[in-house]
Amino acid sequence: MALSDEEQRLLEQMEQALAADDPKLAHALRGTGVIKIHRRRALLAALGFVVGLAALVAGMETSPIVSILGFLVMLATAILAITSWQRVEADDAHSAPSRVTSEMGFMDRLEERWRHRDDGN
């Protein structure tokens, strides 16, 4: 079951509050290995794309089946590289909260959001 937008927002607020209150625990729970795995996966997918391109070109002279397989490898690895790299960017952006937000306490941020909500209406 997917989280609603409100639940997702509250979860992100709690994660940010945890990161501000206890950065060591948040770092241990978040894990830095995830970013490395996605970067490695994106790099391997890029290499697979090059292999698919070589098979595509080589298949033009030998067999159309090799070209088709090369194209399919290129397509699959391109999709894998894009999704992995997007995940790396999302993890990097999520792991580096702004300095102002990290200096504020959880209740201070809630009060500030409450004040901004009143200003918007």
Side-chain angles (χ1 to χ4, degrees), residues 6 8-17 97-98 100-102 104-121:
E6 179 69 18
Q8 185 68 29
R9 188 178 59 80
L10 288 173
L11 180 61
E12 288 174 5
Q13 287 176 357
M14 291 187 326
E15 288 175 356
Q16 290 173 356
S98 67
V100 174
T101 304
S102 64
M104 296 173 60
F106 180 70
M107 292 304 292
D108 294 330
R109 289 193 303 269
L110 283 178
E111 288 176 4
E112 181 150 330
R113 286 189 181 118
W114 184 261
R115 279 187 238 119
H116 286 325
R117 184 190 67 85
D118 289 339
D119 293 342
N121 291 330

Side-chain angles (χ1 to χ4, degrees), residues 42-72:
L43 178 64
L44 290 175
L47 292 174
F49 185 85
V50 172
V51 169
L53 180 64
L56 177 72
V57 172
M60 288 181 188
E61 293 187 18
T62 58
S63 171
I65 299 294
V66 176
S67 291
I68 292 171
L69 290 175
F71 174 75
L72 291 176

